[in-house]
């Protein structure tokens, strides 16, 4: 079974530029998560999708961050414009409805904002 | 709201020695608890989880953890450390209030000395 795929793996941009990350979850997994992991901290949930609907986006900075999951499969997370404090690893995870809360994580995208 | 605290951001042990990583939780309802491991430049991998039933849970790579309600703890142990255990370890709890999302501790970096 293929795991969660993410791209790109690394991205360096200047502040005020925009950037987009892509995630393809494990086939058949209905729930998809985006986390932000700042260096030295645990991951923090940004947004949770169930199929193509948003379940929780309470910690998503909506003035600059947006995410979508069209057709309930892959997802994109966008930042526009980026700030220095957005430098972090962005992790995507997925789980099945019957997965007993076991989330499978992708390798992450490391974003550096200069 | 549920939360976890990991005691010690860095732990160093000798190869072959006991590994003990500490995690305390705060929860107003019976918790679901998890330990994840993160190797350099990789996503998170589930080591083990406690939901209900037996309080001593065994995971992959020889790790185990014991849920102690009276101490609100879920410490991770391994009898004999191996060089390949060097990684970042995260304790997490499910937040059942609203969307069911993982809340992570800040992580403990485990170093193995030869």
């Amino acid at each position: 079974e293929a795991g969660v795929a993410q791209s790109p793996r690394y991205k360096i941009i200047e502040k005020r530029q925009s950037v987009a990350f892509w995630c393809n979850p494990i086939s058949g997994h209905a729930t998809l998560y985006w986390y932000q992991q700042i260096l030295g901290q645990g991951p923090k949930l940004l947004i949770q999708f169930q199929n193509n609907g948003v379940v929780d986006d309470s910690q998503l900075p909506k003035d600059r961050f947006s995410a979508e999951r069209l057709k309930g499969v892959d997802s994109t997370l966008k930042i526009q414009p980026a700030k220095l404090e957005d430098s972090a690893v962005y992790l995507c995870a997925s789980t099945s409805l019957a997965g007993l809360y076991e989330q499978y994580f992708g390798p992450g995208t490391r974003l550096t904002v200069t | 709201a549920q939360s976890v605290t990991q005691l010690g951001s860095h732990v160093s042990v000798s190869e072959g020695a006991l590994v003990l990583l500490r995690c305390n939780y705060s929860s107003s309802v019976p918790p679901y608890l998890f330990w994840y491991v993160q190797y350099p430049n990789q996503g998170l991998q589930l080591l083990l989880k406690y939901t209900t039933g037996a309080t001593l849970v065994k995971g992959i790579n020889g790790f185990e953890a014991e849920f102690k309600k009276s101490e609100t703890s879920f410490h991770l142990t391994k009898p004999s450390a191996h060089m390949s255990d060097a990684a970042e370890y995260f304790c997490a709890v499910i937040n059942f209030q609203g969307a069911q999302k993982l809340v992570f501790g800040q992580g403990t970096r485990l170093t193995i000395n030869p």
Side-chain angles (χ1 to χ4, degrees), chain A residues 17-35:
Chain A
Q17 287 187 324
S18 63
V19 64
F21 312 126
W22 175 81
C23 172
N24 189 34
I26 292 173
S27 177
H29 280 194
T31 308
L32 184 148
Y33 309 82
W34 282 103
Y35 290 88

Side-chain angles (χ1 to χ4, degrees), chain A residues 9 37 42 56 101-102 105-106, chain B residues 32 38 41 43 49 90 100:
Chain A
R9 290 295 313 276
Q37 185 179 18
D56 184 352
Y101 315 106
E102 184 169 337
F105 284 80
Chain B
Y32 283 18
Q38 186 176 33
N41 299 315
K49 65 178 184 282
F90 293 93
Q100 294 172 355

Side-chain angles (χ1 to χ4, degrees), chain B residues 43-72:
Chain B
L44 279 71
Q45 180 183 7
L46 181 67
L47 276 177
L48 50 80
K49 65 178 184 282
Y50 169 79
T51 55
T52 58
T55 56
L56 181 63
V57 293
K58 296 184 183 298
I60 61 172
N61 302 338
F63 284 93
E64 63 182 35
E66 186 171 11
F67 169 64
K68 291 187 176 181
K69 184 178 179 181
S70 61
E71 299 177 9
T72 61

Side-chain angles (χ1 to χ4, degrees), chain A residues 20-91:
Chain A
F21 312 126
W22 175 81
C23 172
N24 189 34
I26 292 173
S27 177
H29 280 194
T31 308
L32 184 148
Y33 309 82
W34 282 103
Y35 290 88
Q36 180 191 58
Q37 185 179 18
I38 293 173
L39 186 65
Q41 299 181 19
K44 181 187 79 172
L45 180 71
L46 292 175
I47 189 167
Q48 177 183 347
F49 291 95
Q50 178 107 340
N51 296 310
N52 60 351
V54 175
V55 176
D56 184 352
D57 64 357
S58 58
Q59 297 191 87
L60 186 74
K62 299 180 186 63
D63 58 334
R64 298 184 301 105
F65 286 64
S66 64
E68 60 182 9
R69 190 182 185 198
L70 300 176
K71 301 180 182 178
V73 182
D74 54 353
S75 175
T76 56
L77 176 69
K78 297 179 181 178
I79 307 175
Q80 183 178 13
K83 293 184 175 181
L84 295 177
E85 58 262 35
D86 298 332
S87 294
V89 175
Y90 291 85
L91 296 164

Side-chain angles (χ1 to χ4, degrees), chain B residues 13-94:
Chain B
V13 302
S14 298
E15 190 174 18
L18 171 71
V19 174
L20 170 60
L21 304 182
R22 300 177 186 273
C23 172
N24 287 90
Y25 69 90
S26 172
S27 177
S28 56
V29 298
Y32 283 18
L33 295 158
F34 305 78
W35 275 100
Y36 281 84
V37 60
Q38 186 176 33
Y39 298 103
N41 299 315
Q42 295 186 28
L44 279 71
Q45 180 183 7
L46 181 67
L47 276 177
L48 50 80
K49 65 178 184 282
Y50 169 79
T51 55
T52 58
T55 56
L56 181 63
V57 293
K58 296 184 183 298
I60 61 172
N61 302 338
F63 284 93
E64 63 182 35
E66 186 171 11
F67 169 64
K68 291 187 176 181
K69 184 178 179 181
S70 61
E71 299 177 9
T72 61
S73 68
F74 191 57
H75 300 332
L76 181 70
T77 60
K78 181 174 180 177
S80 178
H82 192 272
M83 295 299 291
S84 61
D85 295 327
E88 188 93 17
Y89 291 81
F90 293 93
C91 183
V93 64
I94 284 279

